């Protein structure tokens, strides 16, 4: 079945990524950048102040909501996952070093997009009779479009979100963890899957309170660990950093020089990989992180909007960029093994899963490099599983909560745990293609609603101009 479905899913992704996705992501980001008068620049300092001026990892966790920092940590946990390590590596392998430039472009405009998503999530959230906060794209989609149209788009988004985040997305994360752990420690994939299922089940059982308490501790530690490791590599390769940046800019506009083929084909590969992996990394425009921001215990939508922008900045311009610099400076610069393009011999050894381990191994040694990346990837991907499961659950409750108030959460959780286990055992490429497809489908109703609600976002941004 996998052999039959793989080319079909890949073809769907090709059209979505090359045409629809790129147009929508750049379009909505550019639209909000102009409409909010470059909110990602104007309010960048304010966003930093809203996070680091009020950070407290030991705040009392709310029973049915989160602190602003916990909401950010949950959003960053979703953003900083395999998209930064495995996804960025895949983009470089397929689209060349220039794909990173287009990731930067997507992220810059994406900061304005995610500002809109977070402000709308706060603005349109509701409280039920039990005092639980409910918010996310399905709620601002229904605000944007009344009647059957809004209902259809909300159901479409919720269905895609459940499949993309709670089910297929969990498979990507567990698959990447299993592959790295097997490379680094020789642990069988099924044992890794069993451990992940057990740990996740314990946290899922504790609800929002337990999940928020876990991710707010994991995210700062995992980010600091990875950044320190990257800085050690970059210091060791300091003489190649100018060449590394040069390759990113050169191959962004002349990708055929390293990918081969004509300019049109190579440029499309670089741009589409930057857009697709940029979306998977920072998730701006996809509609995933607004679920976390909607739960923030804040009154001002603008405040959480600026916090959300910093999440994209940390994800792409810090963590993903450091990862890309490591890969390019060790494997491309100074006539590295990939400097002259991708020969069959090289590609049979290197792939998007072990590329970063190879890069770290060039300085740390093969054994320690593989272990370091495996540990970082474990925390990145594990925290992403936790956040994505929450986002998927919110949409499952939206779809089925009225008929099955308690059963919808239990059934969803059991199925999600099954996908986590399955992901640790099956083919990596097929898992990625499935996840990309449902991620891409989420973008369509989400961005349509963002365009429709421009006046609300602009009015909020103007008050803080």
């Amino acid at each position: 079945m996998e052999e039959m479905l793989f080319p079909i899913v890949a073809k769907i992704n090709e059209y979505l990524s090359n045409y629809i996705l790129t147009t929508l992501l750049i379009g909505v980001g550019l639209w909000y950048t102009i409409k909010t008068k470059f909110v990602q620049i104007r309010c960048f300092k304010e966003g930093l102040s809203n996070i680091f001026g009020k950070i407290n990892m030991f705040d009392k966790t709310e029973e049915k909501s989160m602190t602003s920092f916990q909401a950010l940590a949950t959003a960053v946990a979703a953003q900083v996952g395999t998209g930064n390590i495995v996804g960025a590596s895949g983009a470089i392998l397929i689209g060349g070093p220039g794909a990173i430039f287009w990731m930067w472009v997507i992220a810059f405009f994406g900061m304005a997009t995610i500002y809109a998503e977070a402000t709308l999530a706060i603005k349109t959230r509701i409280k039920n009779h039990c005092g639980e906060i409910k918010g996310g794209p399905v709620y601002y989609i229904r605000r944007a479009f009344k009647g059957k149209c809004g209902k259809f788009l909300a159901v479409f988004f919720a269905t895609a979100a459940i499949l993309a985040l709670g089910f297929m997305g969990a498979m990507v994360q567990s698959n990447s963890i299993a592959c790295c752990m097997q490379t680094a420690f020789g642990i069988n994939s099924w044992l890794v899957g069993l451990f992940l299922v057990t740990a996740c089940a314990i946290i899922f059982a504790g609800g929002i309170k337990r999940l928020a308490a876990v991710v707010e501790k994991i995210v700062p530690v995992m980010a600091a660990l990875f950044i320190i490791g990257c800085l050690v590599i970059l210091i060791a390769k300091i003489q190649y950093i100018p060449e590394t940046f040069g390759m990113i800019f050169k191959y962004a506009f002349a990708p055929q020089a390293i990918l081969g083929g004509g300019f049109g084909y190579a440029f499309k590969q670089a741009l589409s990989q930057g857009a697709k992996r940029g979306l998977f990394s920072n998730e701006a425009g996809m509609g995933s992180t607004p679920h976390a921001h909607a739960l923030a215990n804040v009154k001002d939508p603008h405040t959480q909007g600026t916090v959300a922008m910093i999440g994209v900045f940390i994800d792409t311009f810090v963590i993903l960029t450091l990862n890309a610099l490591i890969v390019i400076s060790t494997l491309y610069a100074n006539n590295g093994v990939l400097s002259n393009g991708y020969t069959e011999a090289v590609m049979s050894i290197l792939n998007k899963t072990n590329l970063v381990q190879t890069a770290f191994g060039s300085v740390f040694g093969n054994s320690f490099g593989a272990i370091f990346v495996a540990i970082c990837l474990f925390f990145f991907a594990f925290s992403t599983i936790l956040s994505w499961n929450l986002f998927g659950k919110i949409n499952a409750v939206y779809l089925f909560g009225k008929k099955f108030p308690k059963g919808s959460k239990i059934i969803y959780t059991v199925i999600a745990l099954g996908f986590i286990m399955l992901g640790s055992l099956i083919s990596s490429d097929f898992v990625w293609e499935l996840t990309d497809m449902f991620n891409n489908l989420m973008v369509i109703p989400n961005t349509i609603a963002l365009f429709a609600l421009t006046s609300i976002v602009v009015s909020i941004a103007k008050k803080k101009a």
Side-chain angles (χ1 to χ4, degrees):
M1 182 176 289
E2 181 179 329
E3 292 179 0
M4 180 182 69
L5 292 176
F6 184 85
I8 298 173
V9 175
K11 181 60 69 173
I12 293 173
N13 281 336
E14 181 182 343
Y15 281 103
L16 286 172
S17 299
N18 292 347
Y19 306 106
I20 298 174
L21 179 65
T22 303
T23 302
L24 286 176
L25 286 179
I26 295 179
V28 73
L30 184 60
W31 174 258
Y32 271 109
T33 295
I34 295 171
K35 286 293 184 177
T36 61
K37 299 179 180 179
F38 288 81
V39 69
Q40 64 268 61
I41 296 176
R42 287 192 301 108
C43 300
F44 183 79
K45 184 178 179 181
E46 180 184 351
L48 290 175
S49 177
N50 285 334
I51 296 171
F52 299 107
K54 303 173 184 178
I55 186 171
N56 187 348
M57 291 171 61
F58 300 96
D59 274 343
K60 185 178 180 181
T61 305
E62 299 290 332
E63 186 68 41
K64 298 176 181 177
S65 65
M66 300 180 181
T67 66
S68 181
F69 177 73
Q70 287 173 336
L72 174 69
T74 304
V76 172
Q79 294 165 316
V80 181
T82 56
N84 296 78
I85 296 181
V86 183
S89 300
I92 295 171
L93 272 175
I94 299 172
I100 300 303
F101 173 84
W102 298 113
M103 281 187 166
W104 290 342
V105 172
I106 291 292
F108 175 76
F109 292 124
M111 290 174 71
T113 303
I114 211 162
Y115 171 84
E117 290 179 299
T119 55
L120 288 173
I122 296 291
K123 188 72 175 177
T124 62
R125 65 185 180 180
I126 62 174
K127 277 189 178 182
N128 65 11
H129 63 281
C130 298
E132 292 177 324
I133 294 175
K134 295 181 178 293
V138 290
Y139 294 94
Y140 58 69
I141 288 172
R142 294 301 301 270
R143 171 74 70 90
F145 304 102
K146 307 298 182 182
K148 292 182 178 179
C149 178
K151 185 176 181 179
F152 169 78
L153 289 175
V155 169
F156 182 91
F157 176 89
T159 303
I162 292 169
L163 294 171
L165 306 177
F167 297 163
M168 304 302 174
M171 292 174 71
V172 165
Q173 308 300 327
S174 62
N175 182 272
S176 298
I177 291 174
C179 289
C180 279
M181 287 297 176
Q182 192 165 37
T183 300
F185 302 105
I187 303 174
N188 288 332
S189 295
W190 70 269
L191 286 174
V192 176
L194 189 61
F195 172 81
L196 288 173
V197 167
T198 304
C200 288
I202 293 171
I203 296 172
F204 294 163
I208 292 175
K209 182 176 182 179
R210 185 176 298 172
L211 184 145
V214 170
V215 296
E216 75 170 339
K217 307 295 189 302
I218 289 179
V219 168
V221 173
M222 74 181 189
L225 176 66
F226 186 71
I227 289 171
I228 291 170
C230 287
L231 291 177
V232 171
I233 302 291
L234 294 179
I235 291 171
K237 298 286 183 179
I238 189 70
Q239 67 269 40
Y240 306 125
I241 300 305
E243 181 184 356
T244 296
F245 278 102
M247 295 178 84
I248 291 174
F249 288 100
K250 174 185 176 181
Y251 294 128
F253 300 97
Q256 73 279 9
I258 195 168
L259 297 180
F263 170 78
Y265 166 79
F267 184 77
K268 184 177 72 173
Q269 285 288 89
L271 180 58
S272 66
Q273 285 298 313
K276 181 166 65 175
R277 296 305 174 202
L279 169 68
F280 191 79
S281 174
N282 63 58
E283 303 184 25
M286 191 168 82
S288 55
T289 57
H291 297 99
H293 293 298
L295 297 173
N297 189 20
V298 298
K299 295 181 179 179
D300 183 10
H302 172 79
T303 298
Q304 199 61 27
T306 62
V307 168
M309 291 192 314
I310 304 304
V312 172
F313 180 84
I314 293 171
D315 170 85
T316 301
F317 291 103
V318 179
I319 295 177
L320 183 142
T321 297
L322 285 173
N323 179 69
L325 294 178
I326 296 299
V327 171
I328 298 170
S329 66
T330 56
L331 300 178
Y332 287 82
N334 191 36
N335 293 317
V337 295
L338 294 174
S339 61
N340 296 316
Y342 312 131
T343 65
E344 185 176 346
V346 171
M347 290 295 286
S348 65
I349 299 172
L350 292 177
N351 56 61
K352 62 190 177 187
T353 302
N354 64 23
L355 192 67
V356 181
Q357 290 178 316
T358 304
F360 272 87
S362 67
V363 174
F364 287 165
N366 291 336
S367 179
F368 184 72
I371 291 172
F372 180 83
V373 173
I375 292 172
C376 289
L377 189 92
F378 170 80
F379 285 110
F380 281 17
F382 180 66
S383 62
T384 299
I385 290 173
L386 299 181
S387 295
W388 279 2
N389 180 269
L390 171 63
F391 302 162
K393 185 181 296 181
I394 290 171
N395 287 280
V397 171
Y398 173 81
L399 288 180
F400 308 109
K402 290 183 179 179
K403 291 185 178 180
F404 309 102
K406 294 182 179 179
S408 59
K409 293 183 180 180
I410 296 173
I411 294 171
Y412 165 83
T413 299
V414 171
I415 296 174
L417 291 173
F419 273 94
I420 292 170
M421 186 68 199
L422 185 62
S424 66
L425 302 174
I426 69 172
S427 167
S428 174
D429 289 336
F430 185 55
V431 173
W432 275 91
E433 289 293 341
L434 282 173
T435 305
D436 284 339
M437 183 178 73
F438 289 111
N439 283 343
N440 294 341
L441 292 175
M442 285 174 61
V443 172
I444 298 172
N446 185 58
T447 51
I448 291 173
L450 291 177
F451 278 119
L453 296 172
T454 299
S455 59
I456 296 177
V457 178
V458 172
S459 66
I460 293 172
K462 278 185 177 179
K463 292 178 181 178
K464 304 295 179 177

